[in-house]
Amino acid sequence: MRLTFASGQSDLSPESVAAIKQLTASVPSSDATTFNVDAYAPGTPDDPSTARRLSLSRAMAVRSALIADGVPSARIFVRALGAKFGDGPADRADVSVEGTGNQAAQK
């Protein structure tokens, strides 16, 4: 899932909050399920720390929303990748889920 942010901002939009709620509701809960959050922000080569700080703020905002929706913090892994945004817009966070398998349990 890809969440976008306004330039220079780390606050989640109402649409992003709703998308996170939908994601957590659709993923079976199990001890093997993990959520990976990769956050990005634009930056310049002469000041990489600004992009890293903003991407970390974005990752933590997504983490907080996942926790608010019942995901245990120990199952959330965040990476603040700063300006290393590869394919896609710089102002974003990508959320992936691993280990859903067949061991579904109720939340």
Side-chain angles (χ1 to χ4, degrees):
M1 174 176 67
R2 179 163 288 168
L3 305 170
T4 57
F5 291 84
S7 179
Q9 299 297 311
S10 62
D11 296 330
L12 292 169
S13 68
E15 295 82 13
S16 292
V17 172
I20 291 169
K21 285 185 183 300
Q22 184 177 15
L23 175 68
T24 58
S26 68
V27 173
S29 178
S30 81
D31 289 343
T33 302
T34 60
F35 291 77
N36 301 304
V37 180
D38 295 334
Y40 307 86
T44 59
D46 60 327
D47 184 18
S49 64
T50 298
R52 295 270 311 200
R53 281 194 304 271
L54 181 55
S55 64
L56 179 60
S57 293
R58 290 172 173 176
M60 297 309 287
V62 174
R63 180 182 180 274
S64 293
L66 289 167
I67 290 170
D69 287 340
V71 177
S73 63
R75 292 194 176 53
I76 304 169
F77 299 95
V78 299
R79 292 191 314 165
L81 298 171
K84 299 177 185 177
F85 45 87
D87 294 335
D91 292 307
R92 76 175 196 276
D94 294 331
V95 181
S96 61
V97 182
E98 294 182 13
T100 55
N102 291 327
Q103 301 174 4
Q106 287 202 305
K107 283 188 177 181

